[in-house]
């Protein structure tokens, strides 16, 4: 009986997503906001809460993020990543300062204390790699000149998260400075080792993964990405970073073949990720903090637009590309919710969770929609230039 209900719920969710996706295509908008709203409807406090399939959807959502970042990494090789990171390190620091500040300042002004301020800084800082990857793919921006700049900023943020999350966990738990330093050192060492392997031994990884049989190739690529993602997660580093680095370790014809095989699986689990994000939010708790969340979201939109424009301008990219870079950085998602969840579980402040959920939901929905709506204006600017 349990299995039958699981199949019924999953079938209804996936079929509903298909209908919403078709509606989005007909209207000409990104399907992401509709997927998020579907998650609200099926989650706690929604119209029809799921009874048995939420745990399965949770795992599917994690797979969605990993596959999104894996396919994004397949677009670039390790040399391009390192060059881009070196060239955009200053922009990465600007991104950190501009976008962590609104959350920290808001928490302090509300009187939530320094621990909540550290958590809120992370909530407003990190762009959703998963949603941004989907936006870049949906709008055909992957091949644009500003895309490597956007990706370097996303990787910089993910690497910053590899340092930030252990620090936040230590602060929330009240552990000693020495204990927190050990956790951070392990995270940094893990990222360094994975990046070194991708840079120096990428050809050996390609030789191991390569296969003339599409089934074998798909199994090897997905298996390797999940293995590295699991190791990274176990060592307090983002699983998304691990999957991304696996992607950049593969290049050439092998990467192209892998992308073609992964595309339908990625799209399926990416849709599940957006639904799960909505499932975690109780609609009843959003109302009281909606105004504050909207104000914080507006400030964050401006700071991300400034970040993208600054980084793209430093790379010699024209105004249209600067605008696209800023818009691509607006969405918030997986990291932000994880950070808020850690803070709420540790008792940082009872209002932090609903505020973060409302804030992220606004930007997760508005970011892709804004990118779609301003595309004609950006095209006009590019033609005029």
């Amino acid at each position: 009986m349990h299995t039958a209900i699981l199949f019924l719920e999953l079938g209804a969710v996936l079929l509903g997503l298909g209908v919403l996706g078709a509606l989005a295509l007909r209207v000409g908008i990104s399907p992401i906001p509709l997927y998020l709203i579907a998650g609200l409807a099926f989650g706690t406090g929604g119209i029809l809460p799921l009874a048995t399939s939420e745990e399965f959807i949770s795992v599917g959502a994690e797979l969605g993020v990993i596959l999104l970042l894996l396919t994004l990494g397949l677009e670039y090789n390790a040399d391009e990543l390192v060059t881009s990171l070196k060239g955009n390190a200053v922009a990465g620091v600007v991104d950190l300062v501009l976008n962590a500040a609104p959350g920290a300042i808001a928490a302090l002004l509300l009187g939530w204390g320094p621990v909540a301020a550290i958590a809120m800084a992370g909530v407003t800082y990190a762009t959703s790699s998963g949603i941004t990857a989907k936006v870049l793919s949906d709008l055909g921006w992957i091949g644009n000149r500003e895309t490597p700049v956007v990706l370097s900023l996303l990787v910089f943020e993910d690497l910053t998260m590899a340092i930030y999350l252990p620090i936040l966990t230590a602060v929330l738990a009240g552990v000693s400075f020495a204990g927190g330093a050990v956790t951070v050192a392990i995270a940094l060492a893990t990222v360094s080792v994975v990046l070194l392997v991708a840079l120096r031994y990428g050809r050996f990884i390609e030789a191991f993964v390569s296969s003339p049989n599409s089934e074998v190739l798909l199994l090897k690529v997905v298996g390797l990405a999940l293995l590295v993602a699991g190791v990274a997660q176990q060592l307090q580093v983002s699983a998304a970073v691990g999957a991304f680095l696996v992607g950049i370790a593969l290049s050439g014809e092998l990467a192209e073949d892998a992308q073609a095989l992964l595309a339908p699986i990625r799209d399926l689990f990416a849709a599940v990720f957006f639904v799960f994000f909505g499932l975690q939010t109780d609609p009843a708790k959003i109302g009281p903090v909606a105004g504050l969340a909207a104000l914080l979201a507006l400030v964050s939109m401006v700071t991300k637009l400034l970040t993208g424009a600054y980084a793209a301008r430093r790379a010699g990219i024209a105004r249209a590309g600067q605008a696209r870079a800023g818009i691509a950085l607006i969405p918030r998602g997986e990291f932000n919710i994880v950070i808020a969840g850690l803070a709420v579980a540790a008792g940082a402040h009872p209002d932090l969770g609903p505020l973060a959920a409302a804030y992220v939901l606004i930007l997760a929905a508005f970011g892709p929609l804004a990118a779609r709506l301003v595309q004609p204006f950006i095209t006009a600017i590019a033609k005029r230039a």
Side-chain angles (χ1 to χ4, degrees):
M1 186 65 180
H2 178 275
T3 304
I5 295 174
L6 176 65
F7 288 161
L8 285 169
E9 288 187 352
L10 285 176
V13 169
L14 294 177
L15 182 60
L17 292 180
V19 172
L20 291 175
L23 176 62
L25 284 174
R26 177 163 295 200
V27 177
I29 63 171
S30 169
I32 294 172
L34 299 183
Y35 294 162
L36 291 169
I37 293 171
L40 286 173
F42 290 121
T44 304
I47 300 170
L48 189 63
L50 298 178
T52 60
S53 60
E54 188 168 348
E55 184 176 350
F56 183 91
I57 291 175
S58 171
V59 176
E62 295 285 347
L63 284 172
V65 175
I66 288 171
L67 291 174
L68 278 168
L69 270 293
L70 171 62
T71 53
L72 199 59
L74 288 169
E75 293 284 345
Y76 302 93
N77 59 45
D79 290 333
E80 289 172 337
L81 173 66
V82 171
T83 301
S84 187
L85 279 174
K86 287 179 179 177
N88 291 286
V90 174
V93 174
V94 170
D95 180 21
L96 173 61
V97 173
L98 278 181
N99 294 288
I105 292 170
L108 292 174
L109 290 177
L110 290 168
W112 291 358
V115 174
I118 293 173
M120 281 300 298
V123 169
T124 58
Y125 165 56
T127 295
S128 170
S129 300
I131 297 178
T132 295
K134 181 68 172 171
V135 169
L136 293 174
S137 176
D138 285 351
L139 296 181
W141 291 0
I142 290 289
N144 291 352
R145 284 190 62 214
E146 73 278 357
T147 299
V149 174
V150 172
L151 291 179
S152 68
L153 288 174
L154 291 179
V155 174
F156 188 94
E157 288 184 359
D158 284 348
L159 295 178
T160 302
M161 285 291 109
I163 302 171
Y164 167 82
L165 286 175
I167 292 174
L168 176 66
T169 304
V171 169
L172 291 173
V175 302
S176 65
F177 176 80
V182 170
T183 305
V184 172
I186 292 173
L188 284 173
T190 304
V191 173
S192 301
V193 168
V194 174
L195 190 55
L196 179 65
V197 170
L199 280 168
R200 295 235 177 137
Y201 306 104
R203 63 186 184 278
F204 297 111
I205 297 174
E206 288 182 21
F208 169 73
V209 171
S210 180
S211 173
N213 183 279
S214 59
E215 179 184 347
V216 174
L217 176 60
L218 179 63
L219 289 171
K220 283 185 176 181
V221 171
V222 174
L224 181 62
L226 291 176
L227 183 64
V228 174
V231 172
Q233 189 80 19
Q234 192 70 25
L235 295 173
Q236 304 298 318
V237 182
S238 163
V241 172
F244 182 84
L245 293 175
V246 169
I248 66 165
L250 307 176
S251 60
E253 187 178 342
L254 174 62
E256 293 175 6
D257 292 341
Q259 280 180 291
L261 292 171
L262 286 167
I265 306 173
R266 174 202 64 196
D267 292 342
L268 170 64
F269 285 105
V272 172
F273 160 67
F274 298 122
V275 169
F276 180 70
F277 181 76
L279 287 176
Q280 298 176 90
T281 306
D282 186 348
K285 294 182 179 180
I286 291 178
V289 296
L292 180 58
L295 177 60
L296 192 58
L298 180 61
V299 173
S300 294
M301 288 179 204
V302 174
T303 55
K304 282 294 184 182
L305 286 170
L306 291 173
T307 299
Y310 172 76
R313 188 167 59 248
R314 288 186 79 249
I317 295 167
R319 284 183 297 172
Q322 294 173 23
R324 283 192 296 263
I327 291 167
L329 293 170
I330 286 176
R332 306 299 201 276
E334 58 276 10
F335 270 137
N336 317 79
I337 291 298
V338 168
I339 292 166
L342 290 172
V344 170
H349 196 278
D351 290 334
L352 192 151
L355 175 62
Y359 165 83
V360 173
L361 192 61
I362 291 170
L363 292 181
F366 183 78
L369 192 59
R372 179 77 66 172
L373 292 175
V374 302
Q375 172 80 330
F377 299 102
I378 294 174
T379 302
I381 291 172
K383 287 181 178 178
R384 188 168 56 190

mmCIF file of all heavy atoms in Angstrom, residues 35 144 159 171 183 228:
data_model
loop_
_atom_site.group_PDB
_atom_site.id
_atom_site.type_symbol
_atom_site.label_atom_id
_atom_site.label_comp_id
_atom_site.label_asym_id
_atom_site.label_seq_id
_atom_site.Cartn_x
_atom_site.Cartn_y
_atom_site.Cartn_z
ATOM 1 N N TYR A 35 7.059 25.825 -10.834
ATOM 2 C CA TYR A 35 7.496 24.661 -10.059
ATOM 3 C C TYR A 35 7.549 24.985 -8.558
ATOM 4 O O TYR A 35 7.171 24.157 -7.723
ATOM 5 C CB TYR A 35 8.881 24.200 -10.523
ATOM 6 C CG TYR A 35 8.948 23.659 -11.938
ATOM 7 C CD1 TYR A 35 10.159 23.564 -12.612
ATOM 8 C CD2 TYR A 35 7.807 23.234 -12.600
ATOM 9 C CE1 TYR A 35 10.231 23.060 -13.906
ATOM 10 C CE2 TYR A 35 7.868 22.730 -13.895
ATOM 11 C CZ TYR A 35 9.089 22.652 -14.539
ATOM 12 O OH TYR A 35 9.151 22.158 -15.820
ATOM 13 N N ASN A 144 27.539 32.879 -24.136
ATOM 14 C CA ASN A 144 27.820 34.323 -24.118
ATOM 15 C C ASN A 144 29.152 34.627 -23.423
ATOM 16 O O ASN A 144 29.626 33.854 -22.591
ATOM 17 C CB ASN A 144 26.701 35.081 -23.399
ATOM 18 C CG ASN A 144 25.398 35.066 -24.184
ATOM 19 O OD1 ASN A 144 25.364 34.619 -25.335
ATOM 20 N ND2 ASN A 144 24.339 35.536 -23.569
ATOM 21 N N LEU A 159 33.127 28.097 -3.158
ATOM 22 C CA LEU A 159 34.360 27.887 -2.390
ATOM 23 C C LEU A 159 34.323 28.683 -1.083
ATOM 24 O O LEU A 159 34.818 28.226 -0.054
ATOM 25 C CB LEU A 159 35.573 28.285 -3.228
ATOM 26 C CG LEU A 159 35.828 27.433 -4.470
ATOM 27 C CD1 LEU A 159 37.032 27.966 -5.248
ATOM 28 C CD2 LEU A 159 36.048 25.969 -4.102
ATOM 29 N N VAL A 171 30.134 28.355 15.150
ATOM 30 C CA VAL A 171 29.564 29.477 15.915
ATOM 31 C C VAL A 171 28.226 29.089 16.524
ATOM 32 O O VAL A 171 27.945 29.370 17.696
ATOM 33 C CB VAL A 171 29.405 30.717 15.004
ATOM 34 C CG1 VAL A 171 28.582 31.798 15.702
ATOM 35 C CG2 VAL A 171 30.762 31.270 14.609
ATOM 36 N N THR A 183 37.982 22.298 11.463
ATOM 37 C CA THR A 183 36.912 22.035 10.494
ATOM 38 C C THR A 183 37.134 22.795 9.201
ATOM 39 O O THR A 183 36.980 22.261 8.094
ATOM 40 C CB THR A 183 35.544 22.420 11.095
ATOM 41 O OG1 THR A 183 35.357 21.727 12.334
ATOM 42 C CG2 THR A 183 34.411 22.056 10.161
ATOM 43 N N VAL A 228 32.211 11.725 -5.939
ATOM 44 C CA VAL A 228 32.981 12.910 -5.533
ATOM 45 C C VAL A 228 32.106 13.862 -4.727
ATOM 46 O O VAL A 228 32.547 14.441 -3.719
ATOM 47 C CB VAL A 228 33.564 13.617 -6.773
ATOM 48 C CG1 VAL A 228 34.241 14.922 -6.376
ATOM 49 C CG2 VAL A 228 34.565 12.704 -7.478
#
